[in-house]
Amino acid sequence: MTTTPSRTRSAWPDLDVVPSGRRADVAAPIARKIFHAAVRRLPVTVRDGGDVIGLGGPTMTVRRPAEFYRRVGSDGLIGFGEAYLTGAWDAEDLGGFLTVLAAEMPRLVPGWMQRLRKVYVQRPPSMHRNTTSNTRDNIAHHYDLSNDLFRLFLDQTLSYSSALFDTSVTRVVADGRRHLVAAPPEAADEPLEQAQARKIERLLDQTGVGEGTRVLEIGTGWGELAIRAARRGATVHSVTLSSEQLELAEARVAEAGFSDRVDIALCDYRKVEGQYDAIVSVEMIEAVGHEYWSTYFRTIDRLLAPGGKVGVQAITMPHDRMLATRQTYTWINKYIFPGGFLPSVQAIDEVVTTDTSLRISDRLSFGRHYAATLQRWDETFAAAHDDVAQLGFDDTFERMWHFYLEYSRAGFASGYLDVQQLTFERTTS
């Protein structure tokens, strides 16, 4: 089954009308002043009509200034992204330009405006709250777009999470816990499939998956981790809320010959029962919502058998930025991941310490590897333009997807975002 794409022009109502009225009239010149003040001190080049601003670097061209500043003034960063979708601004090296902005994210907006954040930023709509009744629709918005679409830019493993390239690792020990930091990828030409396999195998190693291990996977993806765990002799129960992923994952498991070892269910993680020796979850916590982090980890604690281990791969952000933005409706929420929100390592640590018997025993940080992964995806997606169009996705969708991949890459390339493999074990006391 392949879902009929819904991302055609009729699906972009907020892009058809430029904000107008008194509020937009007042906000636009303020947005222009703030934007110029911000980029004037950055290593970028912004061409805005007759003005050339910045210290020199990746170039942004404001093609329709009136629209650009009305959108930014009315809707902040959502408007900034929407102005890119309409072509009100452009950048030849989009990722390079956004990386400079991401590195300055906490300082782009004046302090007085940050203190008034609650007054002017949009709040997430109630329908995006990840209740048991809402979550499946939130997941379907992204993951049920089309299996064929994801096949166009992912590697053969169909892994839609950060790869781990072959590189050196620095060991840091703090508070008795091991923290490994992977250096930026050294082998730029390493096949992505090989780097994705390394990521999965490391997580299975960390959680002791082997012959006879009972594994719970929260977030199936397209089945690669389940297949690799079964290949080690484990039995796997994997849960997903994406009907598209379920169908293809089951087909891949059957093709690999592991249908007797792998069971995949369309099930909310909160409803899982049983006991498991290893629980693994790759980049699913981002879809949980901060209101449910405690529920997520208490569920894992309930399901983990004595002596078991947990492995979670998570995209993380700095704790102070997490606190500042947790009630903010973002461009990513609106167009890509409804209900999504990134935790900090500190927030995860506080939740598990307060609400569970789990403790972080090991972690690996490899954010620059995600930047490299996203760059590969974006280049492959761009090269598949004709195939994307053949699937029924319009030019606006392609522009949106390019912005999403490069916007994300900028977060990791700048160090604003990180990705971590976290290992949890129960306390012995």
Side-chain angles (χ1 to χ4, degrees):
M1 178 182 116
T2 298
T3 300
T4 301
S6 61
R7 296 295 191 266
T8 55
R9 186 63 188 173
S10 61
W12 312 103
D14 289 350
L15 304 183
D16 289 334
V17 180
V18 177
S20 60
R22 179 169 177 76
R23 177 181 174 183
D25 291 343
V26 172
I30 297 174
R32 184 180 187 277
K33 183 176 181 180
I34 292 172
F35 181 73
H36 278 221
V39 299
R40 188 173 290 120
R41 56 185 173 77
L42 300 180
V44 296
T45 300
V46 175
R47 303 185 186 282
D48 181 6
D51 296 325
V52 180
I53 315 158
L55 303 178
T59 300
M60 170 197 184
T61 301
V62 182
R63 301 194 182 283
R64 298 194 296 276
E67 176 186 345
F68 175 74
Y69 291 114
R70 281 178 174 271
R71 289 191 183 276
V72 173
S74 297
D75 297 301
L77 288 177
I78 292 178
F80 178 77
E82 290 180 337
Y84 180 81
L85 300 191
T86 66
W89 69 274
D90 217 331
E92 183 175 344
D93 178 10
L94 178 62
F97 178 75
L98 293 175
T99 297
V100 175
L101 299 191
E104 291 292 316
M105 187 64 71
R107 297 171 290 279
L108 281 178
V109 176
W112 65 269
M113 285 194 70
Q114 293 190 38
R115 290 189 289 274
L116 295 174
R117 184 182 188 89
K118 292 182 180 180
V119 176
Y120 66 86
V121 297
Q122 295 185 50
R123 296 296 185 93
S126 59
M127 70 185 74
H128 284 189
R129 188 180 173 91
N130 284 300
T131 62
T132 52
S133 57
N134 288 344
T135 301
R136 187 170 177 185
D137 286 342
N138 289 342
I139 293 297
H141 178 90
H142 189 76
Y143 292 100
D144 284 353
L145 278 171
S146 164
N147 285 333
D148 291 335
L149 174 72
F150 287 99
R151 274 177 162 144
L152 289 178
F153 68 93
L154 299 179
D155 65 278
Q156 290 299 308
T157 69
L158 291 182
S159 295
Y160 191 38
S161 50
S162 181
L164 178 59
F165 294 89
D166 189 13
T167 189
S168 60
V169 173
T170 300
R171 175 173 176 166
V172 179
V173 177
D175 300 326
R177 295 181 296 190
R178 191 172 69 154
H179 179 195
L180 303 177
V181 180
E186 297 166 353
D189 58 346
E190 181 181 8
L192 187 55
E193 181 177 357
Q194 184 173 307
Q196 291 288 10
R198 180 180 296 106
K199 173 268 301 292
I200 296 171
E201 296 295 344
R202 184 185 187 277
L203 202 60
L204 297 178
D205 287 344
Q206 285 294 113
T207 50
V209 174
E211 188 69 38
T213 306
R214 297 167 298 173
V215 177
L216 170 65
E217 180 185 23
I218 301 177
T220 306
W222 285 277
E224 185 69 18
L225 187 147
I227 290 170
R228 289 179 176 273
R231 191 174 292 145
R232 292 178 173 218
T235 56
V236 183
H237 179 53
S238 185
V239 294
T240 180
L241 288 177
S242 167
S243 55
E244 283 277 298
Q245 287 189 330
L246 173 69
E247 183 173 355
L248 182 52
E250 286 186 329
R252 295 184 74 228
V253 167
E255 184 180 359
F258 294 121
S259 294
D260 60 330
R261 289 185 173 274
V262 178
D263 168 62
I264 306 174
L266 200 65
C267 176
D268 191 293
Y269 71 91
R270 288 165 282 205
K271 297 182 178 180
V272 176
E273 298 295 336
Q275 288 279 281
Y276 301 91
D277 306 304
I279 300 177
V280 290
S281 187
V282 177
E283 292 181 27
M284 184 273 179
I285 191 174
E286 302 84 356
V288 167
H290 63 86
E291 307 96 332
Y292 297 98
W293 289 340
S294 177
T295 301
Y296 174 78
F297 282 108
R298 281 190 286 110
T299 300
I300 289 173
D301 197 22
R302 170 175 61 84
L303 297 170
L304 188 66
K309 292 185 178 181
V310 178
V312 173
Q313 182 163 311
I315 300 171
T316 61
M317 67 189 305
H319 190 66
D320 61 335
R321 299 310 301 162
M322 186 216 76
L323 294 175
T325 60
R326 60 183 169 181
Q327 296 297 334
T328 302
Y329 185 45
T330 67
W331 184 90
I332 287 286
N333 292 147
K334 183 173 182 177
Y335 287 94
I336 308 297
F337 295 114
F341 187 69
L342 305 182
S344 66
V345 174
Q346 181 177 333
I348 292 173
D349 197 24
E350 289 174 355
V351 167
V352 297
T353 300
T354 302
D355 297 340
T356 77
S357 64
L358 304 172
R359 299 294 183 269
I360 299 173
S361 59
D362 183 277
R363 67 184 176 112
L364 170 70
S365 303
F366 53 112
R368 295 299 176 91
H369 294 239
Y370 218 150
T373 303
L374 285 154
Q375 185 170 12
R376 300 275 190 98
W377 289 346
D378 189 48
E379 290 170 353
T380 306
F381 179 77
H385 166 78
D386 292 343
D387 294 320
V388 173
Q390 189 67 32
L391 289 175
F393 293 95
D394 66 10
D395 290 343
T396 303
F397 177 88
E398 289 194 54
R399 196 165 175 87
M400 178 198 75
W401 206 259
H402 175 52
F403 187 81
Y404 150 57
L405 294 175
E406 289 299 291
Y407 184 82
S408 301
R409 179 167 76 92
F412 294 102
S414 66
Y416 182 74
L417 300 180
D418 201 354
V419 64
Q420 318 251 347
Q421 279 194 357
L422 304 170
T423 305
F424 301 83
E425 299 179 57
R426 283 214 173 91
T427 53
T428 55
S429 58

